[in-house]
Amino acid sequence: TYAVDASALEYLARGQTKIETFTVTLEDGQGGSVDRTITVTLTGTNDKPVITSADLSASLTEMATASGNLQAAGSMAFDDVDLSDQHTVSVSAGGDVLGSLTPTLTQDTSQGTGGVVDWAYSVSASALEYLAEGQEKIESFVITLSDGQGGSVTKTVNITLVGTNDVPVVDSSDVTGAVSELSSGSGTLRDSGTIGFSDLDLSDQHTVNVSATSASPLGNLIASVSTDTVDGVGGVISWSYSVASGALEYLAAGQTKVETFTLTLDDGNGGSVDRTVSITLTGTNDKP
């Protein structure tokens, strides 16, 4: 009868064998004996590797000014009781990702313990520009550790990308207007214009406010976001100025009065930019 502790065979890889021999001696009690050798073959089966500890997440925040790459790294420790297994590692992305993750087998097992897989993640800083303040995008990667004998284990690494606010960019065109006094002061004088803007944060909802920055304006200027951005560009601020014609009667021929109004475009996340619209009122001669 032969017996062996099952755990003693764990180190044998798939198909690997160990031969144990035992000599049985039969004696007749009168000085006669004969030997026979019993041979027992121990054959291994595959044991999957086991991840013992792992860095499975990281977080990266968008830079105020995009430059270079954002990077994160981590490692996984693993065991494999099959001492002769040679391990390999691969990775696959779970869906659409902005960055890339590279795993490396930096240390293989030699005594059944001590294997290490390091991983490194990298993404272009500019790829995060579309994220608004606090907006998150989670990138998932599945790392597969294989033992070369049909056994494998997987772990998912999640990288959280967090946006910061980008201030909108407003054009400096169409920020002046002009009206001239009528020969008879009746009705309303008007002028209008549009100002383009862009914003890297695609989900921002923009508003515009107007404040008069010249003393005692005669007219009124209103503004609105007539077109908001949908792909970071194409936003339009429309403004309209009006003044009662009779309010300009006091101006002599060629005399001017400049009225200024500040338009503040707000992205709703703490970012804003100002543009000043100047309206020149020009007088004509009124006969005595």
Side-chain angles (χ1 to χ4, degrees):
T1 300
Y2 172 86
V4 63
D5 189 329
S7 63
L9 277 66
E10 289 294 283
Y11 77 96
L12 294 172
R14 180 181 180 182
Q16 185 179 4
T17 61
K18 179 182 187 296
I19 297 175
E20 306 210 312
T21 58
F22 302 85
T23 300
V24 178
T25 302
L26 178 66
E27 297 180 349
D28 63 7
Q30 300 297 326
S33 65
V34 64
D35 294 339
R36 285 293 181 267
T37 298
I38 297 176
T39 302
V40 179
T41 302
L42 310 179
T43 304
T45 58
N46 190 52
D47 297 284
K48 292 182 179 181
V50 177
I51 300 292
T52 57
S53 65
D55 295 322
L56 299 178
S57 63
S59 181
L60 296 172
T61 301
E62 175 190 350
M63 301 170 69
T65 302
S67 141
N69 294 327
L70 299 174
Q71 297 178 327
S75 64
M76 299 180 181
F78 69 93
D79 293 346
D80 195 333
V81 293
D82 295 336
L83 301 189
S84 64
D85 282 357
Q86 300 296 309
H87 299 83
T88 58
V89 66
S90 61
V91 65
S92 61
D96 294 331
V97 294
L98 302 175
S100 62
L101 186 143
T102 303
T104 305
L105 183 67
T106 53
Q107 183 177 325
D108 210 340
T109 57
S110 57
Q111 298 298 322
T113 59
V116 178
V117 175
D118 288 331
W119 57 263
Y121 173 85
S122 179
V123 62
S124 173
S126 62
L128 278 68
E129 290 294 283
Y130 78 96
L131 294 173
E133 176 77 20
Q135 184 180 0
E136 295 184 352
K137 181 182 188 300
I138 297 177
E139 311 232 273
S140 296
F141 300 86
V142 178
I143 295 177
T144 301
L145 176 68
S146 301
D147 63 8
Q149 302 294 332
S152 64
V153 61
T154 61
K155 287 293 183 182
T156 299
V157 177
N158 292 317
I159 309 295
T160 302
L161 308 179
V162 183
T164 57
N165 191 52
D166 296 286
V167 177
V169 177
V170 180
D171 294 343
S172 297
S173 58
D174 214 356
V175 291
T176 59
V179 295
S180 296
E181 177 190 352
L182 297 172
S183 56
S184 60
S186 63
T188 302
L189 302 174
R190 303 179 189 277
D191 198 2
S192 61
T194 58
I195 305 171
F197 70 91
S198 60
D199 195 332
L200 295 172
D201 295 336
L202 302 189
S203 64
D204 281 358
Q205 302 295 310
H206 299 83
T207 57
V208 63
N209 297 305
V210 180
S211 60
T213 49
S214 56
S216 303
L218 303 176
N220 181 51
L221 188 143
I222 59 174
S224 64
V225 176
S226 52
T227 303
D228 211 339
T229 58
V230 291
D231 55 3
V233 295
V236 178
I237 301 169
S238 296
W239 61 264
S240 177
Y241 173 83
S242 61
V243 61
S245 178
L248 277 67
E249 290 295 286
Y250 78 97
L251 294 173
Q255 185 180 1
T256 59
K257 180 181 188 297
V258 178
E259 304 202 324
T260 58
F261 302 85
T262 297
L263 278 60
T264 301
L265 180 69
D266 194 308
D267 65 8
N269 286 297
S272 64
V273 62
D274 295 338
R275 281 292 177 267
T276 298
V277 176
S278 300
I279 309 294
T280 302
L281 313 180
T282 303
T284 57
N285 188 53
D286 298 287
K287 291 183 180 181

